[in-house]
Amino acid sequence: MPSSLLKPLSLLLRQPPPPLSGHDHPNTSMNDHFLRLPDECLALIFQPLNTKERNTCSIVCRRWFTVERQTRHTLSLNAVAGLRDSAPAILSRFDSVTKLTLHFNRSCHFDGIGDDGIAVIALHCPILAELELRHCYLVTDAGLRAIPRHCTKLRRVSLHSCTFGAHGINSIIQGCTLLEELSISKFSRFSDAINGSKSLRTVSLRYIHGGRALLPLISQSPALQSLRIINCSGSWDKHLEEASVRANGLIDVLLEAIDVSDRALRALSAQVSLETLWLADTHRCTDEGVTAVVERCKKLKEIGIRKLRKVGEKSLVAIARRCVNLKLLALARVSLTGRSLILVAENCYSLESLLINGGKRIGDAEMVCVISKCSGLRWLFIRGCPISDVLVEAIAQGCPRLEKLEIRKCPGVTLMKVEELRERRRGIAIDYVGIEEKDEEKDGGVQGRNEEENLQRIRASKLRLGFLAIWSCIVFVLRKLFNK
Amino acid sequence: MVGVKKKMVTLVSSDGVEFVVEKRVAEQSLFIKNALNEGGVEEKVMIPIPKVTSDTLSSVLEYCEKHASATEFQENEIEEWDKEYIEKADLDLLYYLLQASYSMSIMGLMELGAKKVASLIRGKSPQEIRELFNIKNDFTPEQEEEIRREMQWNYE
């Protein structure tokens, strides 16, 4: 950036906002008084706007510029090499920024930001509480060490698809003593172990190869409350066992598409403070493991189970027996029986949200019974169940507190009936997807779905490439043979 | 509440019009709530509301009345009502509502108004925004260019 132009802007930064009384066209239009709104109102107006819209507002006039820059708390910057030189000016303009994202767009023609750039940015962000690095492929362990040196107030760090290793991440974990939340996603295999810390409360790991390096991270963080592991290779039973020994205040656990068995669930059952449990695509988990958790964790409020073939009636019976405080139950592609579902409805009085996806044996009779028992139901999601208009009618007459209803891909429910319900109960937000319509599968809370789909797509294309390679090899060999 | 005499409060707008409302409605405004607490519990309290005209005040009180009885309605019913309420307001009223909700400390109304203004700003160019609110551009072309240049660093 040319330095001659920096001057007027930096002058502007130091200037107080122009006096409001000096406004010079008093009554040409009634609207002009918008300039006289208090700063607080103006800040509130900017709040719901996105970065682009806020940028537009900042060039409307000086006062808007000043109020906007003072109230900007999140900043997302293009992490190219040239940012190093402009960062001081940008970061002194937005000096209240507490959340910074450095995002490198892989399709751009410039080099990404390097270690020197990260150092300059860290130096100018002493009050930063949240930092996110995405695709910063030129940043190394050495560059990351500058972060804990200057940003001592960091509470949340999210690292996505970068190339630095365990040493850099460890320097942040050890250097930032306030760090509470760490999320790491899409990294290749770490050669060294990543350490835990006393302050870490939330750890989320997605798409990482080689679970062994992550063992200390989750087993040496005694204050851990929330643990999310999605699509990471390696066996996780031992990790969860050790984590259960060290941390005794786990509240929220989400395991998706990783290799865990009942052993891990049995270990988790020692966490008496557990409130939410989400299990998806963890094929080795069975009724036995789920029952163990449910039996001992009496504070459970949210249970979500998806695509577990070996989980079914027994778990539900245990839930019905033990989880009196259950608020949310999500069951997707689990072998459900009507009897056990009714049992849950009879015993879990405080159930507020119920999600059922693909229950072949859940028909009108069962659901009518469920909604008559759960009078506190606020959100109901049904997908791919043999229910019909009878249930819709029952909902219209019952469910006094229902706020949101989603019916997807249920062949027996007609649009006409749903429209009628919409007319009769205006308080309910209804989402209806008919049998012929396209419907993205929704699992109500299990995260990482999009990434999973992407990964599947990548896997499919890899498979195609593999086939192509093998095919061309065969053709090549055959040709050689024929030539001989 | 049946049988209990409802406590009333009199609010006086800047142009001298008196509004008699229930205390619980008036207390939606933190400004009034504090004023009532300071003044002690008395019958027939008069509270002047400076800088707020009678037209605006009646609109503000309409909002307060709905939200004072918010517990009787479902959440999305209130949302729906809010939406219709702010949709009716033109640019002038919107400004007065924001100003009034600020001086009377009614956070909910201020947020509602701010959201509406934000929705007016959305998708417009700086020049269009200036024209809409009749704001004069007090940047030099050089400064404006400089700010635009800095925007290039934003990731979208």
Side-chain angles (χ1 to χ4, degrees):
Chain A
M1 186 181 297
S3 56
S4 60
L5 284 180
L6 266 173
K7 216 177 161 192
L9 192 66
S10 45
L11 268 176
L12 203 61
L13 291 183
R14 261 176 264 131
Q15 272 171 6
L20 302 180
S21 50
H23 196 57
D24 52 0
H25 38 120
N27 43 21
T28 43
S29 152
M30 285 298 279
N31 299 341
D32 70 330
H33 42 225
F34 254 87
L35 203 66
R36 264 175 256 134
L37 275 180
D39 283 0
E40 285 84 350
C41 280
L42 210 47
L44 213 56
I45 290 171
F46 295 148
Q47 212 174 43
L49 298 176
N50 65 23
T51 309
K52 200 177 166 192
E53 291 151 359
R54 287 188 77 119
N55 280 340
T56 310
C57 288
S58 70
I59 34 180
V60 166
C61 67
R62 285 185 190 210
R63 199 165 98 82
W64 282 37
F65 175 86
T66 312
V67 174
E68 197 280 322
R69 83 172 179 85
Q70 285 167 345
T71 54
R72 179 102 62 123
H73 300 297
T74 64
L75 197 59
S76 180
L77 297 175
N78 234 333
V80 292
L83 182 62
R84 189 193 60 183
D85 303 323
S86 313
I90 296 172
L91 294 170
S92 55
R93 172 175 162 194
F94 300 111
D95 52 4
S96 341
V97 164
T98 54
K99 184 184 174 187
L100 178 68
T101 306
L102 296 178
H103 200 143
F104 179 71
N105 186 352
R106 279 174 295 183
S107 59
C108 106
H109 309 296
F110 301 104
D111 275 344
I113 196 163
D115 288 349
D116 47 352
I118 291 287
V120 169
I121 288 169
L123 184 66
H124 285 86
C125 295
I127 60 162
L128 210 59
E130 288 181 49
L131 175 69
E132 192 175 343
L133 299 181
R134 298 180 72 88
H135 307 294
C136 297
Y137 69 103
L138 286 179
V139 178
T140 68
D141 288 344
L144 281 199
R145 286 200 192 101
I147 295 171
R149 216 174 295 144
H150 303 294
C151 313
T152 49
K153 297 197 171 130
L154 274 180
R155 285 174 186 278
R156 292 175 66 175
V157 170
S158 163
L159 308 167
H160 177 85
S161 188
C162 299
T163 48
F164 46 76
H167 290 294
I169 299 177
N170 280 338
S171 70
I172 293 182
I173 294 175
Q174 278 150 9
C176 303
T177 48
L178 297 175
L179 191 69
E180 284 178 1
E181 207 176 316
L182 178 68
S183 111
I184 308 177
S185 57
K186 292 207 176 169
F187 270 76
S188 54
R189 195 177 292 273
F190 290 112
S191 51
D192 293 288
I194 294 178
N195 299 329
S197 94
K198 278 181 193 165
S199 58
L200 272 177
R201 284 171 192 277
T202 302
V203 168
S204 88
L205 307 167
R206 290 158 208 252
Y207 300 92
I208 302 174
H209 292 292
R212 192 171 299 164
L214 302 163
L215 178 64
L217 175 62
I218 60 174
S219 63
Q220 291 171 9
S221 303
L224 208 59
Q225 290 184 341
S226 169
L227 183 61
R228 285 151 187 251
I229 308 171
I230 296 164
N231 246 302
C232 295
S233 69
S235 171
W236 288 85
D237 281 344
K238 197 180 161 212
H239 291 57
L240 289 168
E241 271 177 351
E242 294 209 9
S244 283
V245 174
R246 288 299 292 272
N248 46 20
L250 271 177
I251 292 175
D252 160 44
V253 170
L254 185 150
L255 307 173
E256 185 176 344
I258 58 169
D259 183 20
V260 285
S261 71
D262 289 344
R263 219 177 106 194
L265 291 183
R266 271 196 296 272
L268 277 179
S269 69
Q271 303 292 330
V272 283
S273 51
L274 200 66
E275 286 181 10
T276 67
L277 176 71
W278 287 86
L279 295 171
D281 291 300
T282 47
H283 297 295
R284 284 167 60 210
C285 294
T286 69
D287 270 333
E288 197 199 322
V290 176
T291 314
V293 177
V294 169
E295 292 277 335
R296 288 184 64 189
C297 307
K298 287 175 190 146
K299 289 188 179 168
L300 272 171
K301 286 198 181 115
E302 274 185 47
I303 299 179
I305 299 171
R306 189 184 66 160
K307 275 200 197 164
L308 294 188
R309 272 179 245 118
K310 294 172 194 158
V311 170
E313 194 169 8
K314 273 187 198 163
S315 300
L316 276 189
V317 172
I319 290 171
R321 219 149 33 93
R322 291 287 179 165
C323 302
V324 196
N325 300 321
L326 200 67
K327 289 229 166 9
L328 182 149
L329 181 65
L331 302 164
R333 309 224 217 131
V334 224
S335 46
L336 269 179
T337 59
R339 195 179 69 90
S340 54
L341 191 66
I342 290 171
L343 212 57
V344 170
E346 277 173 350
N347 291 291
C348 306
Y349 302 105
S350 41
L351 204 64
E352 287 180 356
S353 310
L354 181 64
L355 179 149
I356 293 168
N357 183 356
K360 281 180 197 136
R361 275 178 267 178
I362 307 299
D364 285 330
E366 287 83 7
M367 280 315 293
V368 169
C369 187
V370 167
I371 60 167
S372 67
K373 304 276 187 218
C374 300
S375 52
L377 217 55
R378 290 165 66 184
W379 182 48
L380 182 62
F381 176 109
I382 308 170
R383 184 178 188 275
C385 294
I387 54 162
S388 71
D389 290 348
V390 177
L391 177 68
V392 182
E393 180 60 35
I395 291 172
Q397 287 171 9
C399 292
R401 295 180 61 192
L402 200 66
E403 284 167 17
K404 190 157 174 57
L405 173 68
E406 293 184 50
I407 298 178
R408 289 159 187 264
K409 301 268 178 188
C410 294
V413 179
T414 58
L415 182 63
M416 212 174 73
K417 191 71 191 172
V418 174
E419 287 298 335
E420 190 196 313
L421 176 65
R422 211 169 260 160
E423 275 303 304
R424 279 165 69 183
R425 296 282 298 269
R426 285 177 176 273
I428 308 179
I430 302 174
D431 199 355
Y432 172 77
V433 176
I435 193 78
E436 305 87 11
E437 293 170 62
K438 264 196 183 171
D439 175 30
E440 254 185 59
E441 191 161 325
K442 186 177 170 185
D443 296 296
V446 177
Q447 285 139 10
R449 183 176 48 82
N450 283 337
E451 291 193 45
E452 186 193 5
E453 276 172 8
N454 281 340
L455 205 76
Q456 273 172 358
R457 219 172 293 141
I458 293 166
R459 270 189 208 141
S461 63
K462 271 186 187 165
L463 209 69
R464 230 171 284 142
L465 268 175
F467 269 125
L468 211 73
I470 294 167
W471 179 246
S472 50
C473 274
I474 293 169
V475 170
F476 182 76
V477 172
L478 283 176
R479 267 194 191 161
K480 284 270 176 188
L481 281 176
F482 275 118
N483 283 351
K484 276 183 184 173
Chain B
M1 288 294 279
V2 184
V4 182
K5 203 185 159 194
K6 285 172 182 167
K7 281 186 183 148
M8 303 304 267
V9 183
T10 309
L11 309 177
V12 188
S13 69
S14 64
D15 48 353
V17 181
E18 290 184 8
F19 289 83
V20 183
V21 290
E22 270 180 62
K23 193 175 161 223
R24 66 186 186 103
V25 172
E27 279 186 344
Q28 290 292 306
S29 148
L30 270 180
F31 167 77
I32 297 176
K33 199 174 179 178
N34 291 342
L36 285 173
N37 285 345
E38 277 167 26
V41 192
E42 278 171 51
E43 292 292 307
K44 280 200 174 181
V45 202
M46 294 267 267
I47 299 177
I49 313 285
K51 289 195 226 165
V52 180
T53 61
S54 54
D55 291 349
T56 317
L57 193 57
S58 76
S59 191
V60 170
L61 289 174
E62 188 190 339
Y63 174 90
C64 291
E65 207 148 318
K66 186 75 185 180
H67 281 253
S69 47
T71 46
E72 293 163 27
F73 303 96
Q74 282 190 349
E75 249 171 69
N76 38 7
E77 267 181 292
I78 287 281
E79 268 172 42
E80 202 64 20
W81 187 88
D82 277 353
K83 220 165 130 187
E84 270 174 41
Y85 170 81
I86 206 72
E87 212 54 51
K88 277 188 298 188
D90 60 3
L91 214 51
D92 287 328
L93 184 59
L94 205 53
Y95 163 76
Y96 288 122
L97 283 178
L98 274 170
Q99 192 73 271
S101 60
Y102 175 73
S103 59
M104 293 169 75
S105 300
I106 312 172
M107 233 7 232
L109 182 56
M110 195 153 105
E111 273 170 21
L112 187 65
K115 256 187 211 155
K116 170 74 185 169
V117 179
S119 74
L120 294 174
I121 289 174
R122 220 163 255 150
K124 288 199 171 60
S125 71
Q127 191 49 40
E128 283 169 335
I129 295 173
R130 284 180 204 127
E131 278 162 19
L132 179 65
F133 300 123
N134 202 5
I135 296 171
K136 197 184 155 205
N137 181 9
D138 48 6
F139 284 120
T140 63
E142 212 182 19
Q143 285 169 334
E144 199 176 322
E145 178 58 31
E146 173 66 32
I147 301 169
R148 277 180 196 278
R149 203 182 296 271
E150 258 185 15
M151 281 180 201
Q152 292 168 359
W153 292 103
N154 282 300
Y155 184 87
E156 273 151 28

